[in-house]
Amino acid sequence: MAIKKFQIYFLIFFASYGMLIPTRCLGNICLPKEHIALFVFGDSLFDVGNNNYINTSFDNLANYSPYGETFFNYPNGRFSDGRVIPDFIAEYAKVPLIQPYLFPGSQNYIEGINFASAGAGALAETHQGLVIDLKTQLTYFKNVKKELRQKLGDEETTSLLARAVYLINIGSNDYSVYLSEKYTQQKYVHMVVGNLTTVIQGIHEMGGRKFGVLNQPSTGCFPVIKAVVNGTKGSCLEEYSTLAKLHNNLLVVELHKLKKQIKGFKYSYFNFFDFSFEVITNPSKYGFKEGGVACCGSGPYKGYFSCGGKRGIKDYDLCENPSEYVFFDAVHPTERANRIISQFMWSGNQSIAGPYNLKTLFED
Ligand SMILES: *[C@@H]1O[C@H](CO)[C@@H](O)[C@H](O)[C@H]1NC(C)=O
Ligand SMILES: *[C@@H]1O[C@H](CO)[C@@H](O)[C@H](O)[C@H]1NC(C)=O
Ligand SMILES: *[C@@H]1O[C@H](CO)[C@@H](O)[C@H](O)[C@H]1NC(C)=O
Ligand SMILES: *[C@@H]1O[C@H](CO)[C@@H](O)[C@H](O)[C@H]1NC(C)=O
């Protein structure tokens, strides 16, 4: 008797739930009507474990302790103590955590998928053979589209891809391997941004319309740079942000061009440069105790990329409370910093995320 009553409550609950949230069924899969998928491209800032499934080196892996100690409680490939930016954006967009594309087993691409690979660049030559470069990530997206069409048909796939948001962060690795003997700075930046825009156009040709793009952060403020050049003056080494600045100036121009050229193209340009500079140099304003020294690593500013002890240097220090730090290791933000970055990407004003913020792109 008690069980029957319980079943009735259950039925009523589902009946009313169904009425409150309009659903749209695609074959045998039903989704909320306003469902928006999230597709993620990029490097270690966004990688949620793709590199765990490729043949690579420890430089491009974070599947060992102490990575992942916060939130997930196990190392999972994210270059942070906990969640990374796409995890928070998924939360704000009310979609589940987006899985890594290479995760073994069958995947449901209806909520989107993450192609990002730590160490990857816009240029195929960057860490070639050890990462999934941006162009290959686009090829994987083409495969996903094929599978979606088989599952949902052409019309629903077109609609899903047009409403989806495409989050992209790339370039830092290209600049970290830059050789001034081979290319001038101008030429190199044009190649990186050129390959990035080519991939954005490629996603657009596949049906994508809404793009969230991060510019290059204030690299000269990163512990890894300060340690390597042995900086002792202040918290940032401006001259090491030159390539980032050139990249950002060109990226603004190219995105503006795409908007003019392509019908229906919408983007959110996140000014990661200014925002990272602001948080690193004013940590207490954002609730951090330390902006310029990493939580995990060794050497000056904990700027040697040794967190976890598997990249040549065995000894490293680990702070007690990562949430007090902006940087978890010498280059990657803590979970708490990722949350704050994501909040500003999501709802920041025009000076930080424009012409739209991500919230607007998702609601559109
Ligand atoms: C992985 O990479 C190493 C070093 O580059 C190479 O020797 C090995 O054959 C590769 N393994 C596979 C399965 O590709
Ligand atoms: C993309 O990068 C390659 C080098 O990997 C370069 O030769 C090519 O010119 C670049 N493409 C654009 C559009 O800049
Ligand atoms: C870093 O600077 C300190 C003090 O100026 C100096 O003693 C040390 O040798 C430098 N280290 C490197 C690796 O250049
Ligand atoms: C935009 O947001 C930033 C950061 O919160 C703030 O400092 C700035 O005053 C805001 N600008 C405008 C025009 O509201």
Side-chain angles (χ1 to χ4, degrees):
M1 194 62 195
I3 288 172
K4 270 193 185 150
K5 221 176 200 171
F6 178 73
Q7 283 174 330
I8 288 167
Y9 283 133
F10 229 66
L11 264 173
I12 291 169
F13 173 76
F14 276 114
S16 50
Y17 187 76
M19 274 188 280
L20 283 174
I21 301 175
T23 54
R24 207 164 50 104
C25 293
L26 317 166
N28 53 1
I29 304 158
C30 293
L31 296 167
K33 215 164 194 166
E34 297 313 317
H35 168 86
I36 307 239
L38 173 61
F39 292 96
V40 180
F41 298 78
D43 56 26
S44 57
L45 198 68
F46 284 1
D47 191 348
V48 291
N50 279 308
N51 277 15
N52 300 346
Y53 309 106
I54 64 170
N55 192 10
T56 187
S57 67
F58 281 119
D59 283 352
N60 306 314
L61 285 171
N63 57 355
Y64 46 88
S65 182
Y67 288 103
E69 62 172 21
T70 308
F71 190 77
F72 297 102
N73 300 316
Y74 65 94
N76 55 73
R78 285 169 174 82
F79 274 85
S80 180
D81 57 306
R83 284 167 286 184
V84 291
I85 292 167
D87 299 324
F88 288 110
I89 300 303
E91 181 189 321
Y92 303 152
K94 300 192 174 66
V95 294
L97 284 186
I98 304 301
Q99 296 299 315
Y101 174 73
L102 293 183
F103 187 80
S106 75
Q107 296 263 23
N108 180 357
Y109 301 123
I110 302 230
E111 309 283 4
I113 199 77
N114 184 323
F115 305 104
S117 164
L123 304 180
E125 294 85 350
T126 298
H127 301 147
Q128 195 157 31
L130 298 171
V131 299
I132 311 157
D133 66 80
L134 192 61
K135 207 177 271 173
T136 307
Q137 294 182 28
L138 178 63
T139 308
Y140 288 167
F141 177 58
K142 287 183 183 162
N143 298 341
V144 164
K145 181 176 177 180
K146 244 183 246 159
E147 286 205 30
L148 281 171
R149 284 168 75 170
Q150 283 166 9
K151 227 185 286 185
L152 310 178
D154 281 0
E155 203 179 306
E156 290 294 353
T157 300
T158 303
S159 156
L160 185 147
L161 296 183
R163 282 143 37 111
V165 170
Y166 301 83
L167 211 54
I168 310 175
N169 178 68
I170 205 85
S172 301
N173 293 301
D174 299 302
Y175 297 120
S176 76
V177 301
Y178 168 67
L179 294 170
S180 56
E181 309 91 70
K182 224 171 153 194
Y183 299 103
T184 64
Q185 291 192 339
Q186 286 290 344
K187 170 75 188 151
Y188 195 71
V189 167
H190 270 88
M191 275 167 50
V192 172
V193 175
N195 278 270
L196 168 54
T197 32
T198 302
V199 166
I200 293 176
Q201 282 168 315
I203 297 171
H204 176 266
E205 277 158 29
M206 309 287 298
R209 294 294 176 268
K210 304 190 252 171
F211 295 83
V213 184
L214 282 74
N215 73 2
Q216 286 299 299
S218 187
T219 331
C221 300
F222 281 35
V224 70
I225 296 292
K226 293 191 295 178
V228 170
V229 301
N230 203 5
T232 44
K233 41 174 183 144
S235 58
C236 295
L237 298 160
E238 282 293 303
E239 64 272 30
Y240 287 86
S241 293
T242 310
L243 284 165
K245 283 180 188 164
L246 288 171
H247 174 99
N248 297 345
N249 291 341
L250 186 59
L251 184 57
V252 169
V253 172
E254 292 301 323
L255 285 171
H256 203 72
K257 260 194 220 161
L258 286 176
K259 187 178 154 69
K260 278 192 170 163
Q261 286 165 1
I262 310 180
K263 198 170 155 270
F265 180 82
K266 275 195 165 171
Y267 68 93
S268 172
Y269 173 84
F270 182 67
N271 192 342
F272 197 20
F273 189 96
D274 285 358
F275 193 68
S276 57
F277 187 89
E278 158 75 6
V279 176
I280 293 165
T281 52
N282 299 295
S284 60
K285 205 171 136 189
Y286 298 87
F288 296 104
K289 283 198 176 140
E290 184 53 71
V293 178
C295 161
C296 181
S298 51
Y301 311 96
K302 302 278 154 58
Y304 298 158
F305 190 42
S306 58
C307 183
K310 291 197 190 285
R311 302 188 194 97
I313 304 171
K314 278 221 159 58
D315 290 330
Y316 67 95
D317 295 322
L318 177 65
C319 71
E320 216 159 89
N321 188 356
S323 71
E324 294 175 347
Y325 290 73
V326 173
F327 285 96
F328 182 60
D329 67 21
V331 273
H332 302 101
T334 55
E335 167 173 292
R336 184 157 180 280
N338 278 326
R339 179 197 292 281
I340 288 172
I341 296 163
S342 304
Q343 283 167 351
F344 279 81
M345 286 171 64
W346 183 254
S347 55
N349 64 28
Q350 292 265 333
S351 72
I352 210 78
Y356 303 102
N357 56 32
L358 287 180
K359 184 169 184 280
T360 316
L361 281 193
F362 271 92
E363 284 171 357
D364 180 48

